[in-house]
Amino acid sequence: MTQSSTARRRVPLRSTCARPHHCPPAVRMDVLRHVPYFAGLSDRELTEIDSHLTALSWAQGDPLYRAGEPAEHLFVLASGRVKLSQPSVAGTPVVTDVLVPGRLFGAMSLLGDSVHGESAQALVTTCALRIDQPSFRAVLAGHPEVTLRVLDDVAGRLARARSRVGRQTTDTVAQRVAAVLLDLVDELGQERASGGTLLQLPLSRADLAGMAGSTPESVSRVMSALRKEGVVDSGRRWTAVLDVPRLREVAAGT
């Protein structure tokens, strides 16, 4: 592939989805139904909310936004996978989450963030529906139940952040790695015909280390031990959890 063709392929498609090449109303509605903020809303209400959204897509590796940039939009992931990361003191990005379709992410001053505290990057070709702050304010004004869910979500994020800090000070590296893998299984797992659960993601040891609050070297040792025990297997762009019950025991420290 030539350099020019690579450059063309990586230009974000500003008004279409990657798969399919445009988001038909039925696809957009199905995506919105899976967003917890909008659960239980009628088709008429979802159609009204959808009128505030713009479909955008990004090639693998493209940033959706970067930490420190003005926080002016929220995104609903329609297809693909998105990696969230935060800058560390050492300058190396620390992965905080991997998102799947239906997840809402981003930040805006309306929710207490004037700038993005993390970066979002497409792990694969990705499509998202984007809403700006005035439009989101209009959605909240017209749908009180959505407002209550947003408040609950903000409170939940704070609680999870405190929990992660506590876990990093009390749990072993093995426990934290096992907990991260279990979270990924719940979010992204695909059952394999040969047994086990597949995580088909290009996550590096550094990515897992960031999510577990450890170092790549320590994570590599844990993954090697889990592989020898037959709990996991992995390749260049995938990880398979072969024994979920045993992984839960490791996460619990038993």
Side-chain angles (χ1 to χ4, degrees):
M1 181 179 293
T2 65
Q3 184 175 358
S4 61
S5 65
T6 301
R8 285 196 301 270
R9 182 177 61 83
R10 293 180 60 77
V11 172
L13 306 176
R14 293 296 177 186
S15 61
T16 61
C17 288
R19 296 177 184 173
H21 289 295
H22 85 101
C23 275
V27 173
R28 294 168 69 121
M29 293 284 283
D30 186 61
V31 170
L32 292 179
R33 287 190 189 96
H34 288 83
V35 178
Y37 285 179
F38 308 140
L41 297 185
S42 67
D43 285 351
R44 180 186 59 79
E45 290 172 310
L46 290 176
T47 299
E48 190 275 328
I49 290 171
D50 181 60
S51 69
H52 295 287
L53 298 165
T54 301
L56 302 169
S57 68
W58 295 261
Q60 179 180 342
D62 282 340
L64 281 71
Y65 54 80
R66 294 184 175 90
E69 292 180 346
E72 300 172 341
H73 297 95
L74 294 178
F75 300 79
V76 179
L77 187 57
S79 66
R81 299 286 186 272
V82 168
K83 176 174 68 176
L84 302 183
S85 62
Q86 294 178 335
S88 66
V89 176
T92 304
V94 175
V95 177
T96 58
D97 206 352
V98 176
L99 308 180
V100 297
R103 289 286 296 274
L104 187 142
F105 62 103
M108 53 178 55
S109 58
L110 181 63
L111 300 179
D113 299 302
S114 59
V115 298
H116 288 290
E118 56 195 5
S119 298
Q121 182 183 39
L123 282 172
V124 296
T125 301
T126 292
C127 172
L129 306 177
R130 190 180 72 180
I131 186 169
D132 60 23
Q133 185 157 284
S135 295
F136 191 61
R137 187 183 295 274
V139 169
L140 296 182
H143 304 278
E145 64 272 49
V146 175
T147 303
L148 293 176
R149 290 167 184 166
V150 169
L151 292 174
D152 288 342
D153 183 55
V154 171
R157 291 184 189 184
L158 292 173
R160 289 191 295 273
R162 288 193 294 268
S163 177
R164 282 196 298 269
V165 171
R167 194 166 62 190
Q168 289 178 9
T169 60
T170 59
D171 289 358
T172 66
V173 175
Q175 286 177 281
R176 298 200 299 270
V177 170
V180 167
L181 290 174
L182 288 171
D183 287 343
L184 292 174
V185 164
D186 288 340
E187 287 281 350
L188 309 168
Q190 303 172 3
E191 294 303 316
R192 300 196 310 174
S194 57
T197 304
L198 179 65
L199 304 173
Q200 193 149 6
L201 278 176
L203 285 176
S204 66
R205 290 291 181 265
D207 292 335
L208 286 174
M211 297 176 76
S214 186
T215 65
E217 295 77 15
S218 296
V219 169
S220 291
R221 287 193 290 271
V222 170
M223 291 295 289
S224 178
L226 292 175
R227 190 180 296 109
K228 289 179 181 177
E229 194 178 339
V231 178
V232 302
D233 193 9
S234 62
R236 185 171 177 270
R237 299 174 64 86
W238 59 273
T239 300
V241 176
L242 307 177
D243 191 340
V244 171
R246 175 56 187 149
L247 194 61
R248 289 199 178 100
E249 292 176 354
V250 173
T254 59

